Amino acid sequence: MFSYNVLSKINSPQSFSPSSKIQSGVPTLLSLLVCPLTRAGLIYDAKAMRLISLQAGLSYPIMGQVPIMLEEAATPLQESERAKFSNKPPPGPAS
């Protein structure tokens, strides 16, 4: 699939500090992104810097202001996380 190990790039020791750039672009970005497995909308978890797919039960990391939308990079949601985010509907299309 890829000529290099995607996960080693994702798990690199580079630190990420949230900035106003990503905060201001989140609503627009979320209206365009969907889960690559289910095509369902995503929920933005600002604290953990990840995108949540409730239907797939996965979270996709955001590294260096770029969402990594690869199944190999996703981590399974725990039941407590799923319950926490189930009350937050994914954003609809931008108007």
Side-chain angles (χ1 to χ4, degrees), residues 2-87:
F2 293 100
S3 60
Y4 58 91
N5 186 342
V6 173
L7 293 178
S8 68
K9 299 286 185 189
I10 293 169
N11 294 325
S12 66
Q14 297 174 346
S15 63
F16 176 78
S17 59
S19 71
S20 60
K21 288 181 190 176
I22 194 166
Q23 297 297 329
S24 65
V26 167
T28 303
L29 181 63
L30 280 178
S31 69
L32 300 173
L33 290 177
V34 295
C35 173
L37 298 175
T38 64
R39 304 289 187 239
L42 299 165
I43 298 170
Y44 175 56
D45 180 1
K47 285 185 180 180
M49 292 305 299
R50 62 187 180 164
L51 296 173
I52 306 291
S53 172
L54 290 176
Q55 284 187 342
L58 297 171
S59 69
Y60 297 94
I62 299 174
M63 305 296 289
Q65 300 180 358
V66 177
I68 310 300
M69 304 301 295
L70 300 171
E71 185 178 2
E72 298 87 19
T75 55
L77 288 177
Q78 296 177 0
E79 283 302 317
S80 60
E81 293 175 310
R82 192 181 279 251
K84 173 184 170 184
F85 289 104
S86 65
N87 296 330

